[in-house]
């Protein structure tokens, strides 16, 4: 055997120490009988182990394996040679005849195991490149060696050897270092750049780290090729092809694979992500080959299940150079692969599918995908891509009727005034301009025009095709829902549009309709149905990578409203913030709606900073200076609600505008009744409650039923009004409110009135109720987290400083010293804090402040 086979390799020149990896390896080896170091080629496994071995606290035996060692008898002999310096008795007789004699291999393995048991426990045996061993050789030799106590072992390779070590793993005896731990961090890339003497700023380093994803060999090859020359702003656009790894990839990765696996890797790398179905479409037996790629750790990351199976993402740099290799070696195979990927992605990612079709020299396929999938692109807000994709088509495909229809949607969205002579394109252009384009009419006018378009069909006669009609139904339905609430006409539009989109496979359009239906359920107060429907939308959108798209905004809003009615305020806050972010500028109405509900949630939590952020959104100027009337009224109503929460009921009531749509809503009228009752104006409170009942009846006639929150709120308000004058009537009203709330899980309409209803709720348990758990929950919630008092919003800056110190272990004297105040001043501030928070001690003050977001 060559002497280098059993000696620790020398670290390469200019090596940069990686204390993070060194410490991780030392800790793993020190804490486990077996350490597995597994990562693809070029991740510095051997270098890391060599550095560690030079400083190891105990003796280290090193064996570098090669393909010739993949034979049980030879591997026993190789291990004996490598271990001889530590255990002389382990060196076997090397005669080939003895290797072939019956029982010899078993006896020699037994001798090897016996000798290993004599080694000190601090000894370590390193086997490098164990991936070169077949399952048979690893099982017959390494299996028995690892089964019994002896020295610690480190097995390093590009993928795991086929060893029976699950029992050791379950016993906690196996430690692992894999690709994620061995990849360079951004800081380590900067260290390597500096060690190489290459001038580069932070932008250049980050660009190099992002394109290589910390693959050590790629970083070093990039530096050797001087790709950072002229570093600065342009390097932020560093491309995959700028890093010269093709030669390394061909020699060290592709060249080491069996022919069928190498061919599959090249073809499959055409797609950024691959799943078993796509693998089978690319190559017969592709699913098996994909599984082998995963097992070998060939630069694939599991991104989770999508549809019926797992999906894997290629390392972008590896895939880019593998595609280049395929295009050079077999251009026809590359084109075919692009076409297969385009057909696979068409229903899921139309933009990517069109790009692959064009790369595959299949413009007819690209035109067909664009013509079929443009509703998804428009609904997701990717209309800018429509223009670019249409421009990328050869000229004779740009006048395809379906492509012109897609272009009309893009033109209308961007309001550039261009058009064409196709009747369907003109129809959809008018539709999109009505609802999406800048300078679109008011929401009321948009709904009117949209419904007229749906009724009249294509200009010049006929009806719009399925794509145009489905888009129209969605846009009209969602606008009507924002304007009129869950009225039957809006729900009919959304149901028809969703069914048509599902039938034709327009996923984004179907999700858009379903999200609006979930919002309608939330507005009706059907919290359970709203949450179930919205969660399906969000889960499906996540599978397609559309988490932040505008189509999910209404689903998040539905979850936020439903969680608020259930008094799950933290969950409500999270979903409402997500709704604001997803809505963005394209769906400003949804963003303002979500921010308004978020403001009410913050009021309930006592979250002053959150309230301020939400009001910044609701109060921001409208882009064209003319905010929709119903949202302007909603803004005024929020201001009044905030004043009421701050215990300024007369100021809140002074803002009431009886002609405003926001203040004539049944819930708003019930809120007015609560405020009037609070200041003792009983008759006015009764009149407001009567008005709320009339408004609820009118809404029921329009919507086909009274929304559950309205009914619960009105009954709860009746119970509060009757509490002092008619005990039996008050209990009957309260029980009716509880009965209306229970089926939908509604808590907040009662929770908002829990303080006023507290004596009645306590007595109701003795009076008798079919909903005792809900009554108990309301009583406990009001005790543990009372509604924020007005003074909770009015802590002075110095009182907030003292409040922050109260959560620490500092004494009053120490707080005074840290704030440079006298002890008497600190005690005065503490008494003020207790009074304003409605508590009687330090711990209660901290707990209440945390609950209300003051800490």
């Amino acid at each position: 055997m060559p002497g280098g086979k059993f000696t620790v390799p020398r670290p390469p020149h200019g090596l940069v120490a990686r204390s993070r990896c060194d410490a991780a390896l030392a800790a793993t080896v020190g804490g486990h009988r077996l350490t597995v170091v597994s990562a693809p080629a070029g991740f510095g496994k051997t270098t890391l182990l060599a550095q560690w071995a030079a400083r190891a606290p105990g003796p280290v035996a090193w064996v570098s394996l090669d393909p010739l060692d993949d034979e049980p008898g030879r591997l026993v002999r190789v291990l004996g040679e490598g271990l001889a310096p530590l255990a002389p008795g382990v060196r076997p007789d090397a005669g080939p005849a003895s290797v072939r004699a019956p029982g010899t291999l078993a006896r020699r393995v037994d001798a090897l195991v016996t000798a290993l048991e004599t080694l000190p426990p601090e000894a370590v045996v390193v086997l490098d490149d164990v991936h070169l061993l077949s399952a048979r050789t690893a099982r017959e030799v390494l299996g028995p060696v690892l089964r019994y106590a002896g020295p610690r072992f480190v097995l390093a390779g590009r993928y795991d050897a086929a060893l029976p070590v699950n029992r050791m793993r379950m016993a906690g005896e196996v430690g692992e270092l894999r690709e994620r731990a061995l990849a360079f961090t951004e800081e380590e890339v900067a260290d390597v750049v500096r060690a190489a003497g290459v001038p580069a700023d932070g932008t250049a380093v980050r660009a190099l780290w992002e394109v290589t994803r910390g693959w050590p060999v790629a970083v070093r090859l990039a530096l050797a090729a001087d790709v950072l020359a002229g570093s600065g702003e342009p390097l932020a656009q560093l491309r995959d092809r700028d890093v010269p790894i093709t030669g390394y990839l061909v020699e060290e990765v592709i060249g080491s694979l069996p022919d069928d696996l190498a061919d599959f890797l090249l073809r499959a790398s055409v797609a950024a992500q691959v799943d078993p179905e796509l693998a089978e479409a690319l190559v017969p037996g592709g699913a098996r080959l994909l599984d082998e790629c995963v097992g070998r750790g060939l630069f694939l990351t599991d991104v989770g299940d999508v549809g019926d199976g797992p999906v894997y993402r290629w390392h972008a740099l590896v895939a880019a150079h593998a595609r280049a290799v395929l295009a050079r070696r077999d251009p026809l195979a590359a084109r075919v692969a692009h076409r297969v990927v385009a057909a696979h992605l068409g229903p899921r990612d139309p933009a990517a599918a069109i790009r692959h079709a064009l790369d595959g020299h299949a413009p007819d396929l690209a035109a067909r995908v664009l013509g079929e999938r443009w509703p998804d692109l428009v609904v997701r807000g990717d209309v800018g891509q429509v223009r670019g994709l249409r421009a990328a088509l050869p000229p004779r495909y740009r006048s395809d009727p379906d492509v012109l229809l897609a272009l009309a949607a893009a033109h209308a969205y961007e309001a550039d005034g261009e058009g064409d002579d196709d009747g369907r394109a003109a129809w959809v252009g008018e539709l999109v301009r009505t609802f999406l384009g800048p300078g679109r009419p008011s929401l009321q006018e948009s709904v009117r025009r949209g419904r007229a378009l749906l009724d009249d069909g294509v200009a010049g006669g006929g009806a719009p095709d399925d794509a145009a009609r489905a888009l129209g139904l969605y846009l009209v339905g969602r606008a009507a829902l924002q304007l009129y609430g869950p009225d039957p006409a809006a729900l009919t539009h959304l149901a028809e549009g969703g069914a048509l989109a599902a039938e034709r496979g327009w996923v984004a359009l179907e999700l858009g309709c379903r999200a609006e239906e979930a919002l309608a359920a939330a507005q009706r107060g059907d919290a359970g149905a709203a949450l179930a429907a919205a969660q399906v939308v969000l889960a499906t959108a996540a599978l397609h990578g559309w988490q932040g798209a505008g189509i999910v905004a209404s689903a998040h809003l539905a979850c936020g409203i439903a969680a608020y009615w259930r008094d799950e305020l933290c969950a409500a806050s999270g979903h409402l913030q997500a709704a604001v972010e997803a809505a963005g500028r394209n769906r400003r109405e949804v963003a303002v709606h979500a921010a308004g509900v978020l403001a009410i949630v913050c009021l309930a939590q006592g979250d002053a900073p959150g309230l301020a952020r939400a009001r910044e959104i609701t109060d921001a100027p409208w882009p064209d200076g003319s905010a929709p009337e119903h949202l302007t009224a909603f803004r005024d109503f929020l201001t009044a609600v905030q004043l009421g929460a701050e215990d300024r009921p007369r100021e809140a009531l002074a803002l009431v505008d009886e002609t405003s749509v926001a203040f004539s809503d049944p819930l708003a009228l019930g809120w007015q009744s609560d405020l009037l009752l609070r200041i003792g104006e009983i008759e006015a409170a009764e009149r407001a409650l009567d008005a709320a009942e009339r408004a609820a009846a009118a809404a029921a006639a329009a919507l086909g039923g009274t929304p559950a929150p309205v009914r619960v709120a009105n009954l709860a308000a009746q119970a509060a009004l009757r509490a002092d004058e008619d005990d039996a009537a008050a209990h009957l009203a309260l029980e009716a409110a509880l009965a209306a709330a229970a089926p939908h899980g509604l808590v907040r309409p009662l929770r908002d009135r829990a303080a006023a209803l507290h004596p009645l709720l306590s007595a109701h348990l003795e009076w008798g109720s079919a909903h005792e758990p809900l009554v108990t929950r309301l009583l406990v919630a009001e005790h543990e987290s009372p509604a924020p008092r007005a003074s909770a919003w009015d802590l002075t800056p110095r009182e907030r400083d003292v409040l922050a110190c109260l959560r620490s272990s500092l004494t009053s004297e120490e707080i005074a010293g840290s704030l440079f105040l006298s002890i008497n001043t600190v005690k005065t501030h503490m008494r003020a804090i207790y009074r304003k928070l409605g508590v009687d001690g330090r711990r209660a003050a901290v707990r209440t402040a945390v609950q209300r977001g003051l800490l």
Side-chain angles (χ1 to χ4, degrees):
M1 298 292 176
K5 189 176 182 68
F6 304 111
T7 58
V8 178
R10 290 183 180 179
H13 176 69
L15 185 68
V16 174
R18 291 206 287 165
S19 57
R20 173 182 63 86
C21 292
D22 292 340
L25 178 59
T28 306
V29 173
H32 302 87
R33 278 186 56 210
L34 171 63
T35 295
V36 176
V37 181
S38 178
F43 272 86
K45 302 178 293 294
T46 300
T47 300
L48 177 64
L49 286 169
Q51 287 179 292
W52 166 83
R55 301 187 299 269
V60 175
W62 184 286
V63 178
S64 295
L65 300 172
D66 58 54
L68 296 177
D69 297 329
D70 186 21
E71 192 278 320
R74 177 182 171 88
L75 181 60
V76 172
R77 186 166 66 253
V78 167
L79 291 177
E81 292 279 352
L83 293 171
L86 302 185
V90 80
R91 189 183 185 99
D93 204 359
S98 65
V99 172
R100 293 192 296 270
T104 298
L105 177 64
R107 287 198 302 272
R108 295 171 68 191
V109 170
D110 287 343
L112 185 64
V113 170
T114 301
L116 286 170
E117 289 178 339
T118 66
L119 293 178
E122 64 271 15
V124 178
V125 179
V126 178
L127 304 183
D128 198 16
D129 288 335
V130 292
H131 62 275
L132 297 174
L133 301 180
S134 65
R136 171 175 170 266
T137 301
R139 183 175 59 252
E140 292 186 5
V141 178
L142 295 185
V145 166
L146 294 173
R147 186 175 300 127
Y148 303 104
R152 300 179 188 275
F153 276 81
V154 178
L155 306 183
R158 296 182 181 180
Y159 52 91
D160 292 358
L163 289 169
V165 295
N166 283 328
R167 182 173 297 178
M168 293 177 64
R169 184 173 278 112
M170 287 187 295
E173 296 178 331
V174 179
E176 299 173 318
L177 286 181
R178 299 194 176 273
E179 177 180 339
R180 180 175 296 182
L182 298 176
F184 282 153
T185 64
E186 185 176 350
E187 293 75 15
E188 289 168 343
V189 171
D191 292 340
V192 174
V193 170
R194 282 192 293 270
V198 176
D201 60 11
T203 301
V205 168
R206 182 165 187 82
L208 180 58
W209 175 74
E210 286 182 343
V211 78
T212 62
R213 302 314 299 175
W215 187 16
V217 72
V219 172
R220 296 189 182 279
L221 288 172
L223 293 176
D226 203 21
V227 301
L228 299 189
S231 63
E233 186 61 28
L235 197 60
Q237 303 301 318
L238 187 67
R239 299 160 298 182
D240 293 322
R241 63 175 177 268
D242 295 330
V243 181
I245 66 157
T246 303
Y248 182 88
L249 184 67
V250 170
E251 293 175 11
E252 295 295 327
V253 179
I254 297 173
S256 67
L257 299 176
D259 290 345
D260 60 344
L261 195 60
D263 179 66
F264 172 77
L265 184 150
L266 293 176
R267 292 173 186 264
S269 66
V270 166
Q273 296 184 167
V274 60
D275 56 59
E277 181 183 346
L278 175 57
E280 283 290 337
L282 285 166
V283 176
R288 175 187 60 79
L289 293 169
L290 173 61
D291 187 59
E292 189 170 348
C293 283
V294 173
R296 286 174 173 262
L298 287 176
F299 302 95
L300 285 166
T301 302
D302 188 348
V303 296
D305 287 355
V306 177
D308 296 329
V311 175
Y312 302 93
R313 180 184 295 114
W314 291 107
H315 189 296
L317 185 60
V318 172
H321 286 267
R323 285 194 294 270
V325 171
L326 179 64
R328 286 199 306 271
R329 288 185 178 179
D330 194 341
L332 180 59
R335 293 178 187 178
V336 171
H338 277 294
R339 294 172 189 175
V340 170
V341 174
H344 181 73
L345 291 179
R348 308 177 187 182
D349 190 343
I354 293 166
R355 288 191 293 271
H356 278 290
L358 294 174
D359 289 341
H361 295 200
D364 53 341
L365 175 59
R368 187 174 75 246
V369 172
L370 180 57
E372 291 178 352
R373 312 309 307 181
W374 68 264
D376 278 359
L377 293 171
V378 172
V379 171
R380 284 164 46 189
D382 295 337
V383 292
Q385 290 194 37
V386 174
R387 183 189 298 277
L389 293 170
R390 191 250 187 185
L393 292 173
R396 70 187 185 92
Y397 290 96
R398 297 177 192 170
S399 57
D400 179 281
D402 289 329
V403 173
L404 289 175
L405 194 65
L407 186 62
H411 287 332
Y413 190 88
E414 297 171 355
D416 58 11
E418 297 182 26
D420 51 67
D421 297 327
D422 184 83
R424 290 183 302 154
W427 190 93
V428 79
E430 178 63 26
L431 178 74
V432 176
R433 274 192 297 275
T434 297
F435 288 97
L436 301 178
R440 58 187 179 273
S442 68
L443 207 54
Q444 293 92 333
E445 180 63 15
S446 293
V447 172
R448 188 193 66 76
R449 289 188 191 179
R451 286 176 171 166
L453 283 168
L454 289 174
D455 291 339
D456 296 343
V458 176
D465 65 359
D466 285 350
R469 180 165 181 80
L471 179 64
L473 289 164
Y474 164 67
L475 293 175
V476 172
R478 82 176 194 185
L481 190 65
Q482 280 292 315
L483 186 60
Y484 303 120
D487 74 306
L491 296 176
T492 299
H493 291 321
L494 293 170
E496 184 182 346
L500 186 54
E503 178 184 342
R504 294 293 299 271
W506 296 314
V507 179
L509 188 53
E510 181 189 2
L511 287 183
C513 292
R514 302 304 180 223
E516 301 303 324
E517 290 178 317
L519 178 57
Q523 291 175 328
R524 291 194 305 268
D526 193 347
L531 285 171
Q535 286 167 354
V536 170
V537 170
L538 295 174
T540 307
L543 291 177
H544 290 80
W546 301 338
Q547 294 94 323
I551 55 171
V552 304
S554 291
H556 277 300
L557 178 55
C559 286
I561 293 174
Y564 170 73
W565 288 133
R566 289 187 166 197
D567 202 33
E568 298 166 356
L569 300 184
C570 290
S573 178
H575 278 294
L576 293 167
Q577 292 176 32
V580 170
E581 293 172 4
R585 287 179 291 184
N586 290 334
R587 300 202 61 190
R588 182 68 186 277
E589 293 91 347
V590 176
V592 173
H593 187 170
V597 180
L598 180 59
I600 294 173
V601 170
C602 291
L603 283 168
Q605 291 176 307
D607 181 4
L611 174 64
R613 291 191 295 268
R615 291 308 306 266
E616 285 180 5
I617 299 169
T618 61
D619 298 348
W622 208 254
D624 58 5
S626 57
E629 180 184 354
H630 70 290
L631 290 181
T632 302
F634 184 44
R635 180 188 304 166
D636 296 337
F637 174 67
L638 282 177
T639 301
V641 170
Q642 183 174 342
L643 290 171
E646 294 173 358
D647 204 17
R648 297 153 69 184
R650 296 187 186 276
E651 294 177 58
L653 290 168
L655 294 179
V656 171
D657 180 0
E658 295 180 357
T659 65
S660 168
V661 62
F663 287 97
S664 60
D665 178 87
L667 287 173
L669 290 166
W671 164 82
Q672 293 175 43
S673 177
D674 292 337
L675 285 190
L676 290 165
L677 179 62
R678 194 192 305 177
I679 63 176
E681 297 188 12
I682 307 301
E683 293 182 1
E686 290 179 342
R687 288 195 299 271
L689 189 55
D690 290 340
E693 291 285 357
R694 292 193 298 273
L703 304 178
T706 303
V710 172
R711 177 162 176 75
V712 175
N714 286 349
L715 287 168
Q718 286 181 22
L721 273 172
R722 305 288 178 263
D724 293 332
E725 59 185 47
D726 189 340
D727 190 59
H731 281 292
L732 287 172
L734 178 58
E735 184 66 11
L738 295 168
H744 303 290
L746 302 182
V747 177
R748 198 66 216 181
L750 294 160
R751 180 81 171 82
D752 284 335
R753 297 163 176 83
L757 292 172
H758 192 278
L760 188 65
L761 285 166
S762 298
H764 199 67
L765 294 175
E766 296 182 9
W767 188 80
S769 172
H771 307 285
E772 288 188 6
L774 180 53
V775 175
T776 303
R777 175 179 174 178
L778 292 167
L779 290 169
V780 170
E782 182 60 23
H783 173 73
E784 293 185 347
S785 180
R789 299 188 178 190
S791 52
W793 308 97
D794 299 329
L795 292 179
T796 66
R798 182 56 78 185
E799 287 168 353
R800 286 181 176 271
D801 292 340
V802 174
L803 178 61
C805 293
L806 293 182
R807 71 187 309 174
S808 70
S809 60
L810 296 176
T811 65
S812 300
E813 291 79 4
E814 290 169 336
I815 293 173
S818 66
L819 297 177
F820 302 102
L821 299 174
S822 70
I823 183 61
N824 289 333
T825 300
V826 167
K827 289 182 177 180
T828 299
H829 287 319
M830 290 171 64
R831 287 193 295 270
I833 291 169
Y834 299 161
R835 184 182 70 254
K836 291 180 178 182
L837 297 184
V839 299
D840 56 6
R842 180 168 177 166
R843 289 187 179 179
V846 171
R847 183 175 65 250
T848 302
V850 169
Q851 291 170 347
R852 297 177 184 174
L854 299 176
L855 284 178

